[in-house]
Structures are given as structure tokens and as C-alpha cells.
Amino acid sequence: DAEGLLRIKEENQKHYRRAQRHQEKKEKIQRHNRKLGDLVEKKTYDLKTQYEHLANLRRTHILELTSVIFPIEEVKTSMRDPADVSSESDNAMTSSTVSKLAEARRTTYLSGRWVCDDHNGDTSISITGPWITLPNNGDYSAYYNWVEEKKTTQGPDTEHNNPAYTISAALCYATQLVNTLSLILDVNLPKKLCNRQFCGENLSRHRFTRAVKKLNANILHLCFSQHVNLDLLHPLHTLRNLMYLVSPDTENLGR
């Protein structure tokens, strides 16, 4: 029994010495992990700082781009509400007639159906200058109507103020701006659309509407990536969505 007790004591001493070595290894690993944690925390802070610096650079480049080359502004029209004009000319007009006129003014015939548009006739959005605008309600039917009419009409087109030219130019500039923004923001666009899609040859109605849908999808994708307020966006408002995207009030622009 004494010899067995001695052997057990020797084994216990070996286990104790081994436990001390394991404890030293554990403390060493913990110190190493703390060093790595501090290093990771410092690297994370540096990375966050670099991201913020990069976002500021992107934001500066975008604001410079949209103020010098592609300015986007809201153009007010001088059109007065027919309800107001009629009420001034006829004092006997009832309030129901005035409300019906106002409601009719906020309604637009778009792609074969009537849609509600609060901005109808009030404003339009310009790009690169006040003379190149797009309808605020997203109705670009003047373009393909002009193309279809031109197919049936022989002779040169002498109408320089044709709205189809304005729509084509505005969409062309918008496409160029969107493609440039995707490069600056490093965001891959879901739809491929070349810069010259809307210029050059006259597009048929199907090809034109398909290209407009691609452009609107790319703009919305950029707006989502920059956390633009969803309440401001509308799937048909091409330049208005783009204006909200590049606005200085967009807090996350450049993220």
C-alpha cells in the first residue's frame, strides 16, 4: 500500500507539472489573442476610415460631375391650374366642378390607361441644360409616335423643336451619367445599356420602351445601393429618381 501510495503521488506530481505547462500555454494563447484582437480592431477602424474617405471622394466627384457636366434640375412651367383660371372667370362655378377639374388635371393618359400624376403639367426635369427635359410623368410616347409618323411621311424633317429630339437627347445623357456613376460608385448595373442607345437610328416602339425600362432599372438599382429614401422613388420617373440619387441631401451617397 505504501508503494502504491508513492506511485500515485509521483503520478499526481507529473499531472500537476503538466497542468502548469498547459496553464502557461493557455495564458500565452490568451495574450496572443488579445494582441490579435487589438490589431483587428485597429485594422477595422483604419478600414472604416478609408471607406469614409473613399465615400467622400466619390461624393465629391459625383457632385462635381452633376454640377459641371450633367446638371439635373427641376424646371417649373408657367401653366396655371385650369380650376383656378375658371374659378376666376366664373364666380358662379360650384366647388364640385372646381374639384373635378383639379382631379382631371392630375390624371394622365399613359400607355393606354389613365394614371394619377400629381406633377402632371407642373414640372419637368432637365439634364445638361433647361432646354433638354423629360416629362415628369414618364410619358415618352412623343418619341415613338414621331418615329411612326416619320415612316409614313416622306421628305426631310424640318421641325427642330420636335419633343422627340428632346426626349432622345435627355435619355442619351441620362444613360451616359448612369454608366459613369456605376464606375465611380463601383456598383455593377443589372442591365447592359450602351451610351449611344438612344441616339443615332430611330428606335421602334418596342425597342424604345425596352431600353427605357433598362435605364429605369439601372437608376433604381443605383438608388437602392445608396440607400435613397424609397418614398421618393417612382419606377417611371427617370430623371427625378436620378436627381434624388445625386442630390447633396443624400446622406449615403458614395457608400
Side-chain angles (χ1 to χ4, degrees):
D1 292 339
E3 291 177 356
L5 180 61
L6 183 61
R7 287 197 304 270
I8 292 175
K9 287 182 178 180
E10 290 177 354
E11 290 178 359
N12 288 341
Q13 289 178 356
K14 290 180 180 179
H15 289 313
Y16 178 73
R17 289 192 296 268
R18 184 179 297 176
Q20 285 184 330
R21 291 197 297 270
H22 287 313
Q23 183 65 25
E24 292 175 357
K25 285 184 179 180
K26 177 184 175 182
E27 294 176 356
K28 184 178 179 180
I29 292 173
Q30 288 177 345
R31 289 193 300 269
H32 182 67
N33 288 340
R34 284 195 295 269
K35 289 182 180 179
L36 288 180
D38 295 339
L39 182 61
V40 170
E41 185 177 356
K42 182 178 181 301
K43 292 292 184 181
T44 303
Y45 176 78
D46 293 341
L47 182 61
K48 183 180 179 181
T49 304
Q50 291 296 326
Y51 276 147
E52 293 176 354
H53 179 64
L54 180 59
N56 291 331
L57 284 179
R58 288 172 172 170
R59 184 184 183 89
T60 302
H61 291 166
I62 291 174
L63 294 180
E64 183 178 0
L65 177 68
T66 54
S67 62
V68 178
I69 302 178
F70 295 101
I72 302 177
E73 297 177 349
E74 188 172 6
V75 180
K76 297 286 185 179
T77 60
S78 58
M79 182 182 299
R80 298 188 62 188
D81 197 321
D84 297 337
V85 177
S86 301
S87 62
E88 291 177 1
S89 60
D90 187 6
N91 294 328
M93 180 176 292
T94 62
S95 59
S96 61
T97 306
V98 174
S99 61
K100 288 180 180 179
L101 285 172
E103 181 181 359
R105 183 172 173 270
R106 292 192 297 269
T107 308
T108 302
Y109 189 74
L110 179 59
S111 300
R113 61 190 181 93
W114 292 97
V115 296
C116 181
D117 182 17
D118 292 337
H119 300 283
N120 179 28
D122 288 338
T123 61
S124 59
I125 309 299
S126 67
I127 183 170
T128 70
W131 53 89
I132 301 180
T133 61
L134 282 182
N136 184 71
N137 57 5
D139 184 10
Y140 308 143
S141 57
Y143 177 85
Y144 46 78
N145 289 339
W146 168 75
V147 172
E148 294 174 358
E149 182 180 355
K150 190 176 181 181
K151 289 181 181 179
T152 59
T153 304
Q154 301 296 329
D157 187 6
T158 58
E159 187 178 353
H160 299 289
N161 294 328
N162 196 310
Y165 294 146
T166 304
I167 293 175
S168 176
L171 291 175
C172 182
Y173 287 136
T175 304
Q176 296 180 25
L177 177 57
V178 169
N179 290 335
T180 305
L181 291 176
S182 68
L183 294 176
I184 297 177
L185 296 172
D186 194 21
V187 176
N188 293 325
L189 298 176
K191 304 295 183 180
K192 183 178 180 181
L193 201 63
C194 62
N195 291 339
R196 56 182 176 85
Q197 182 68 43
F198 295 99
C199 59
E201 61 175 325
N202 299 326
L203 301 177
S204 63
R205 177 169 183 169
H206 174 71
R207 291 180 59 190
F208 178 81
T209 55
R210 187 165 177 263
V212 170
K213 288 179 180 179
K214 287 184 177 181
L215 177 59
N216 288 333
N218 289 340
I219 294 175
L220 289 176
H221 182 75
L222 288 177
C223 291
F224 298 154
S225 70
Q226 303 304 302
H227 292 178
V228 178
N229 186 2
L230 299 181
D231 296 334
L232 301 176
L233 303 178
H234 190 285
L236 298 180
H237 295 174
T238 307
L239 287 185
R240 182 171 290 276
N241 294 339
L242 202 54
M243 182 178 67
Y244 289 138
L245 171 64
V246 300
S247 173
D249 298 332
T250 304
E251 297 179 357
N252 297 297
L253 181 61
R255 63 180 296 276

